Amino acid sequence: MGESTQRTSGGHQARRALLQFGLSGLVALIIIGAIAFVALRRESTHESIREARTITEFIARSIAEPLLQERPEVLTGDPEALAWFDERIRTRVIGDGRTIVRVKIWDQTGRIVYSDAAPLIGKRFVFGNDERAALQHDETEAEVSDLAGPENAFERSEGKLLEVYLRIESPAGDPLLFETYR
């Protein structure tokens, strides 16, 4: 009887050790999985921001600046020029609105000289530090948009947006801020 009790006790201890080993492995796997998930999510966010910057730079340099060269009176608020510019921005940049939902062009005083949300044209807002830096240092900036700002009233219904902005130049060489919302 004593030998049988020892075998049962030894078998019970072995099962308990295996269970502890299995649970430890499972906990380690969950921790490693969580760390990998966070790292992959962070990397995909950084990649999305890099892609948004690249696309916005391309649009600004290859579409917006050439269009402004062709019709500089957009910057003075000429209705016919604005309609012409708007039609081209909507077809070449915004399209179906699944990627880019808004385009704005600002002069250096904070006045919106073009937006596909027409009521914003001519309105003046105070630039934040990042916008001023982009205008002064020709840097492309990207950040999650503060939709509570008065200049973003027309974007609020879109949910969380990434805004990307950079300096472009008017036909006269004056700095402008080109901005997209994704």
Side-chain angles (χ1 to χ4, degrees), residues 45-65:
T45 298
H46 289 310
E47 183 58 34
S48 294
I49 291 170
R50 278 192 293 274
E51 178 185 316
R53 283 182 172 156
T54 301
I55 290 170
T56 298
E57 288 171 359
F58 175 79
I59 292 167
R61 306 276 184 243
S62 65
I63 298 174
E65 278 185 323

Side-chain angles (χ1 to χ4, degrees), residues 10-26:
H12 183 67
Q13 287 177 345
R15 281 191 300 273
R16 187 174 182 181
L18 279 173
L19 182 60
Q20 285 177 336
F21 179 75
L23 285 175
S24 298
L26 181 61

Side-chain angles (χ1 to χ4, degrees), residues 106-109 127 130-139 166-168 175-177:
W106 307 66
D107 70 13
Q108 57 192 332
T109 69
F127 282 137
D130 291 339
E131 289 87 354
R132 279 194 295 278
L135 267 173
Q136 294 171 355
H137 305 295
D138 198 13
E139 299 172 357
L166 68 143
R167 176 187 167 142
I168 62 173
L176 299 169
L177 190 69

